[in-house]
Amino acid sequence: MIDIKILLNDPDSVRANIRKRFKNIDIDGLIDAVTRANKLKAEADDLRSGKKKLSREFSQAMSRKTGIEDIKKKIEETDARLTAIENESAELEKIKSDLLLRIPNFLSSDVPEGKTEDEKKIVFEGPALKEPGSPVKPHYEIGEERGIIDFKAAAEMSGSRFVILKNKLSALNRALITFMMNENGKNGYEEVYPPFLIKRDMLKYTGQVPDKEEDLYKIEGEDLYLIPTAEVSLVNYAAFLELKEEDLPKRMMGFTSCFRKEAGSYGKDIRGMMRVHQFDKVELVSISVPGKSPAEHEKMLSDASSLLTKLELPYRVALLCSADTVNTSSKTYDIEVYLPSQGTYREISSVSSCTDYQARRMNLKYRTADGGKALVHTLNGSALAVGRTLIAIMENYQNLDGSISVPAALVPYCGFDRI
RNA sequence: GGAGAGAUGGCCGAGCGGUUGAAGGCGGCGGUCUUGAAAACCGUUGUGCCGAAAGGCACCGGGGGUUCGAAUCCCUCUCUCUCCGCCA
């Protein structure tokens, strides 16, 4: 959520930001609703103030035994007007919250303007390990051949876009999680294991509601959703911690499974486990003082990237363009890993700075050094998506005989060096 | 799942129909004292909204109701605790 004050005082900056994102939101309607709501609030506050006075006079009238009916009548009139105002305010509130939640975060000025995914800016590209032209089978073929993935049974049991990992691949999955958690821990992130189911309000605070609502799994008959990312759990957890300036940045990491309907991606990545409804991810979250969030963003990018370096997987980093940056984010880097079977780079991590956008929705504040309170900045990033890391290993470490070598950094974690 | 008890400011805890946004304590901040620190003492210390300001309004788990007036009474939901049952 953006600051309403900015919306009222400098609506053009809000309009420009929305235009840069190629979105369309009824700013004028929102400003009108806010203005009218404020006016009504002023009137209602005055009425309530008057009513309080009348109420105090009432007890005096009671002891005097005169003028009681008179005061009652005045209060009744006040109540009638208050009810009318409350009804009108409720309607305006609905318009306000609907529109306000949809206004995206201000983009960082260095985010390239662009309408499509391809307009991202590549800011780093490492060397490819596999020579071009090596005969590499896609992960879903090699996985089934070697008996370490079962897509068919998963589809029968749960439907399309589910996967069963077996044997050494399943073990490698576990090893990867531990590897990532240990490495992130060295970089200063505190380990948290949060619930996988969470209430709707929490999703609203971090912005998945209303933006990604259609992508969420909801538990029938309960106010609970399966988390689409541990970001939701970790950022919301910060609200329960005492945040003092000297303790910031507060860095947390969490391993969770994530659940997404993938509603907006019909036909995309249908084969394999590139895009499945349930996937594992190690997530980083940092709660930062506003002034230090850009540096923190770079650190998180570097922390996530370092995992790929240690795994010796080829990757590049893209700064997403304006239209491709999610509403909550002011600036997002994607880390993309090279997949030889596709001859291209694919997203394996997304690192975003949400500035004060989520903090304002949550009213998440820290105690400043001088004893005041101020909104924090929240940042999040994957380090890394575990399933996609498995894919990258299965392809980049594939040998000519169809076996798969295990990255040296993982061998101590899984206890074997070849699948 | 059954029976009971509870939910108050950063924390603990009083209040149980009328200047109560809320006693008291702890913690925090400022000061006195001290070479410094501790102790003691004094002062100060919730959040949100509207407003240029003065000021006003709202908030005692959420929602609804009774009343001229609710933190206080009633209903309901959620959560916590105790006992019983069941159970990975």
Side-chain angles (χ1 to χ4, degrees), chain A residues 231 234-235 250-252 283-287 300 379-380:
Chain A
E231 170 198 344
L234 296 184
V235 172
K250 176 76 182 169
R251 301 190 178 109
M252 293 181 275
E283 183 77 2
L284 306 179
V285 158
S286 182
I287 310 296
M300 291 174 79
L379 304 100
N380 67 79

Side-chain angles (χ1 to χ4, degrees), chain A residues 162 194-200 202-203 206 208-209 212-220 222-233 256-261 277-279:
Chain A
F162 282 94
F196 290 17
L197 288 129
I198 205 156
K199 291 179 182 172
R200 182 182 172 85
M202 305 302 128
L203 291 153
T206 41
Q208 283 73 21
V209 169
K212 300 275 172 64
E213 178 119 44
E214 68 287 346
D215 215 27
L216 298 171
Y217 285 102
K218 186 182 191 317
I219 304 298
E220 199 179 333
E222 303 201 40
D223 179 30
L224 283 176
Y225 293 77
L226 286 163
I227 53 169
T229 161
E231 170 198 344
V232 181
S233 308
T256 70
S257 293
C258 303
F259 305 87
R260 299 182 184 177
K261 286 191 177 175
H277 292 310
Q278 173 192 325
F279 61 96

Side-chain angles (χ1 to χ4, degrees), chain A residues 199-396:
Chain A
K199 291 179 182 172
R200 182 182 172 85
D201 275 349
M202 305 302 128
L203 291 153
K204 209 191 246 180
Y205 294 148
T206 41
Q208 283 73 21
V209 169
D211 294 351
K212 300 275 172 64
E213 178 119 44
E214 68 287 346
D215 215 27
L216 298 171
Y217 285 102
K218 186 182 191 317
I219 304 298
E220 199 179 333
E222 303 201 40
D223 179 30
L224 283 176
Y225 293 77
L226 286 163
I227 53 169
T229 161
E231 170 198 344
V232 181
S233 308
L234 296 184
V235 172
N236 276 291
Y237 181 50
F240 299 91
L241 306 173
E242 217 183 313
L243 302 171
K244 291 187 195 153
E245 179 157 1
E246 65 263 33
D247 302 331
L248 297 181
K250 176 76 182 169
R251 301 190 178 109
M252 293 181 275
M253 60 168 168
F255 153 72
T256 70
S257 293
C258 303
F259 305 87
R260 299 182 184 177
K261 286 191 177 175
E262 295 297 346
S265 53
Y266 294 112
K268 264 168 124 183
D269 304 312
I270 329 186
R271 297 205 64 184
M273 61 166 169
M274 192 64 200
R275 192 176 299 277
V276 282
H277 292 310
Q278 173 192 325
F279 61 96
D280 288 347
K281 184 157 63 72
V282 172
E283 183 77 2
L284 306 179
V285 158
S286 182
I287 310 296
S288 163
V289 165
K292 292 181 182 160
S293 69
E296 189 68 6
H297 194 195
E298 297 299 321
K299 172 183 158 55
M300 291 174 79
L301 173 64
S302 147
D303 291 341
S305 306
S306 74
L307 298 177
L308 289 165
T309 307
K310 291 200 167 101
L311 293 171
E312 297 175 80
L313 288 168
Y315 72 93
R316 68 179 188 184
V317 177
L319 173 57
L320 296 190
C321 77
S322 57
D324 216 22
T325 303
V326 294
N327 274 353
T328 48
S329 172
S330 71
K331 180 178 175 181
T332 298
Y333 291 113
D334 270 8
I335 303 174
E336 302 177 332
V337 70
Y338 186 72
L339 296 187
S341 75
Q342 300 184 13
T344 184
Y345 287 87
R346 297 298 305 271
E347 177 188 343
I348 196 167
S349 167
S350 197
V351 186
S352 297
S353 171
C354 298
T355 58
D356 60 7
Y357 190 86
Q358 292 176 324
R360 186 169 291 105
R361 281 194 187 182
M362 294 170 67
N363 194 25
L364 183 60
K365 295 185 170 174
Y366 70 102
R367 183 70 63 183
T368 56
D370 58 13
K373 276 188 159 188
L375 291 173
V376 298
H377 279 192
T378 59
L379 304 100
N380 67 79
S382 10
L384 300 159
V386 182
R388 289 187 177 180
T389 309
L390 284 177
I391 293 174
I393 292 171
M394 290 167 78
E395 298 198 356
N396 285 286

Side-chain angles (χ1 to χ4, degrees), chain A residues 30-295:
Chain A
L30 177 55
I31 292 173
D32 178 60
V34 171
T35 315
R36 279 163 60 204
N38 285 354
K39 240 179 232 159
L40 284 177
K41 179 176 159 42
E43 189 187 343
D45 283 358
D46 283 347
L47 288 172
R48 286 199 193 94
S49 179
K51 195 181 158 183
K52 270 190 178 176
K53 286 196 191 90
L54 287 172
S55 199
R56 267 178 234 133
E57 284 169 26
F58 186 87
S59 55
Q60 294 164 18
M62 282 292 274
S63 51
R64 275 203 310 271
K65 296 197 168 71
T66 54
I68 296 173
E69 289 310 311
D70 202 36
I71 292 174
K72 270 197 182 176
K73 203 180 154 214
K74 278 186 193 159
I75 287 180
E76 268 168 36
E77 285 165 14
T78 307
D79 279 342
R81 178 60 189 147
L82 269 177
T83 307
I85 290 176
E86 273 159 20
N87 291 337
E88 201 178 339
S89 297
E91 280 172 42
L92 290 173
E93 266 319 304
K94 204 180 166 310
I95 297 170
K96 254 173 77 177
S97 57
D98 277 2
L99 287 172
L100 204 53
L101 284 180
R102 286 187 157 75
I103 293 186
N105 196 1
F106 288 102
L107 288 166
S108 175
S109 56
D110 55 349
V111 171
E113 178 161 347
K115 205 171 184 172
T116 66
E117 197 192 323
D118 317 321
E119 292 170 79
K120 65 194 165 192
K121 188 174 149 198
I122 305 303
V123 294
F124 170 85
E125 183 157 351
L129 296 186
K130 278 272 175 192
E131 278 155 40
S134 309
V136 168
K137 291 180 181 171
H139 74 278
Y140 43 86
E141 279 180 23
I142 200 81
E144 297 214 297
E145 265 177 42
R146 301 200 78 75
I148 51 176
I149 295 188
D150 192 336
F151 288 111
K152 204 159 176 275
E156 291 288 328
M157 286 161 57
S158 304
S160 67
R161 292 201 191 277
F162 282 94
V163 65
I164 292 171
L165 307 182
K166 297 199 290 184
N167 304 319
K168 282 185 174 172
L169 191 62
S170 172
L172 196 64
N173 188 62
R174 274 188 294 120
L176 260 178
I177 293 163
T178 309
F179 163 77
M180 290 175 187
M181 294 295 274
N182 286 359
E183 292 298 323
N184 292 329
K186 288 181 203 161
N187 287 324
Y189 299 86
E190 188 182 306
E191 182 161 352
V192 175
Y193 183 69
F196 290 17
L197 288 129
I198 205 156
K199 291 179 182 172
R200 182 182 172 85
D201 275 349
M202 305 302 128
L203 291 153
K204 209 191 246 180
Y205 294 148
T206 41
Q208 283 73 21
V209 169
D211 294 351
K212 300 275 172 64
E213 178 119 44
E214 68 287 346
D215 215 27
L216 298 171
Y217 285 102
K218 186 182 191 317
I219 304 298
E220 199 179 333
E222 303 201 40
D223 179 30
L224 283 176
Y225 293 77
L226 286 163
I227 53 169
T229 161
E231 170 198 344
V232 181
S233 308
L234 296 184
V235 172
N236 276 291
Y237 181 50
F240 299 91
L241 306 173
E242 217 183 313
L243 302 171
K244 291 187 195 153
E245 179 157 1
E246 65 263 33
D247 302 331
L248 297 181
K250 176 76 182 169
R251 301 190 178 109
M252 293 181 275
M253 60 168 168
F255 153 72
T256 70
S257 293
C258 303
F259 305 87
R260 299 182 184 177
K261 286 191 177 175
E262 295 297 346
S265 53
Y266 294 112
K268 264 168 124 183
D269 304 312
I270 329 186
R271 297 205 64 184
M273 61 166 169
M274 192 64 200
R275 192 176 299 277
V276 282
H277 292 310
Q278 173 192 325
F279 61 96
D280 288 347
K281 184 157 63 72
V282 172
E283 183 77 2
L284 306 179
V285 158
S286 182
I287 310 296
S288 163
V289 165
K292 292 181 182 160
S293 69

